[in-house]
Amino acid sequence: MAYIEGSHHITLSVGRAQEDVDFHVKVLGMRFIKRTVLFDGSTPIYHLYYANADGDPSSVVTTFPWAQAGLHGKRGTNQGREVLLSVPDGSLDFWHRRLTAHDVAVTDLEVFGRRRLAFEHPSGIEYVFVANEGDDRTGHAGYGVPPEHAIHGLHGLGVHVVTPDRTVEFAHDTFDAQHGLGEEGDRIALQIGKQARGNHLEITVNRRDDQGTWHYGAGTQHHFAWNADTLENQDELKFEIEGRGYTDISELKDRKYFKSVYVRSPAGALFELAVTHADGGWDCDESPHELGQRFQLPDQFEHRRDELLGALEPIDI
């Protein structure tokens, strides 16, 4: 039977490239591991990658800075919303002080009986720090973030829906969500995959907001990627999903560092099934200690290097 290993990455449509780099690297202390471009379409847009110290697949946040192209999205319901990041237990006071010192507004929350911190990306995307014990992923100590407080990686994602039943059903049918973590008010928590961390799906019933946009546009979450582990398992997952009638699913796409298929859930959130294949990985074009230092392009765009560099906004890494 096909399976989900856990999480792989999350991809966001943000505003300006430099403010995105500054937020993830200089405020959150994440490791910048890749600068390339969006593989789809013809509009030159950066694709930027951030991770923990080891670049674990379950730690990666990637972004498309769309403000330069003048394309903006609308946050709403039937859409992925919150980026949930895992931080060490006992680190929330540090992060409250650090975010406040960087003029980032912070809100204390209590969810499922535990404290969290909510704040926003400069483009308005919602982020939440979740403190976890026993997360063995290694955080990246950068820009004054000490190792004992550094971000482990993804905790998961939050999606907003009008009717939660279809999303819960989809999670069970397609991703074999076995671990129900409870319900609290208008929130339902699930855990998906074999991993012990980074794979939480939190579903919030939202009948207040209008429908959010699904196209590329600054200020919105674009998709969340699950780790399908192997190409053979990925193919079997795709076959099973289509067999259950969820046919809004793409063909295999080669993203150089991993290979992916995309499926639109009934409530609108876009999910990816990603596999870091034998010829991919973050170090397929840079050594592990050089990640993020050079502008990388897939072979099909290499002949446009000068054009793309001239069209994209300059960024200081």
Side-chain angles (χ1 to χ4, degrees), residues 9 32 52 77 85 100 126 169 202 218 230 245 260 284 299 317:
H9 67 270
F32 186 85
N52 66 7
T77 196
L85 295 177
T100 301
E126 298 128 310
E169 179 182 69
E202 296 189 357
T230 70
S260 301
C284 71
D299 292 341
I317 306 300

Side-chain angles (χ1 to χ4, degrees), residues 26-295:
K26 296 182 180 180
V27 178
L28 300 188
M30 298 183 76
R31 184 183 182 190
F32 186 85
I33 63 168
K34 197 65 63 181
R35 174 173 50 148
T36 182
V37 294
L38 173 65
F39 286 14
D40 296 328
S42 59
T43 302
I45 292 294
Y46 279 126
H47 196 178
L48 308 176
Y49 291 67
Y50 312 92
N52 66 7
D54 298 326
D56 295 320
S58 62
S59 75
V60 180
V61 176
T62 89
T63 63
F64 301 127
W66 279 104
Q68 181 184 18
L71 188 57
H72 296 269
K74 178 182 178 181
R75 289 183 301 282
T77 196
N78 289 356
Q79 181 190 65
R81 287 281 292 264
E82 293 94 5
V83 180
L84 307 179
L85 295 177
S86 175
V87 296
D89 193 44
S91 67
L92 292 182
D93 287 340
F94 164 83
W95 281 109
H96 197 292
R97 293 191 300 269
R98 180 175 174 86
L99 291 169
T100 301
H102 282 85
D103 297 321
V104 177
V106 187
T107 302
D108 276 273
L109 304 175
E110 184 174 308
V111 178
F112 296 113
R114 298 199 64 187
R115 180 188 176 201
R116 294 181 175 185
L117 298 182
F119 55 101
E120 291 183 357
H121 184 280
S123 65
I125 296 172
E126 298 128 310
Y127 278 56
V128 178
F129 277 151
V130 181
N132 284 302
E133 298 178 6
D135 190 330
D136 59 0
R137 295 173 292 178
T138 304
H140 181 251
Y143 278 89
V145 177
E148 64 269 23
H149 296 313
I151 297 168
H152 291 303
L154 296 171
H155 177 77
L157 80 155
V159 298
H160 287 211
V161 300
V162 173
T163 55
D165 292 351
R166 298 291 75 78
T167 301
V168 172
E169 179 182 69
F170 179 80
H172 283 289
D173 284 353
T174 62
F175 301 143
D176 194 28
Q178 298 293 331
H179 308 288
L181 302 180
E183 299 184 25
E184 180 181 87
D186 58 3
R187 190 187 306 258
I188 302 167
L190 301 173
Q191 194 167 0
I192 294 170
K194 300 191 298 183
Q195 289 178 346
R197 68 286 191 279
N199 53 353
H200 290 69
L201 174 63
E202 296 189 357
I203 302 163
T204 297
V205 180
N206 181 346
R207 299 189 178 101
R208 305 176 306 277
D209 295 339
D210 292 335
Q211 167 85 33
T213 52
W214 294 350
H215 59 70
Y216 291 125
T220 57
Q221 185 184 133
H222 188 257
H223 66 264
F224 188 89
W226 302 99
N227 188 352
D229 194 24
T230 70
L231 292 174
E232 294 77 14
N233 182 61
Q234 180 191 59
D235 192 54
E236 184 63 26
L237 272 168
K238 182 177 185 293
F239 183 74
E240 290 184 4
I241 291 169
E242 289 175 321
R244 292 189 177 100
Y246 299 108
T247 56
D248 189 2
I249 188 168
S250 76
E251 296 306 310
L252 184 68
K253 295 181 181 290
D254 189 344
R255 301 313 195 188
K256 185 178 182 180
Y257 309 107
F258 47 86
K259 293 184 178 181
S260 301
V261 295
Y262 300 81
V263 57
R264 181 75 67 181
S265 66
L270 182 64
F271 293 111
E272 177 181 349
L273 305 172
V275 172
T276 303
H277 54 95
D279 297 325
W282 316 129
D283 58 356
C284 71
D285 51 16
E286 295 176 288
S287 66
H289 71 277
E290 293 176 319
L291 294 181
Q293 294 185 20
R294 293 191 297 272
F295 182 41

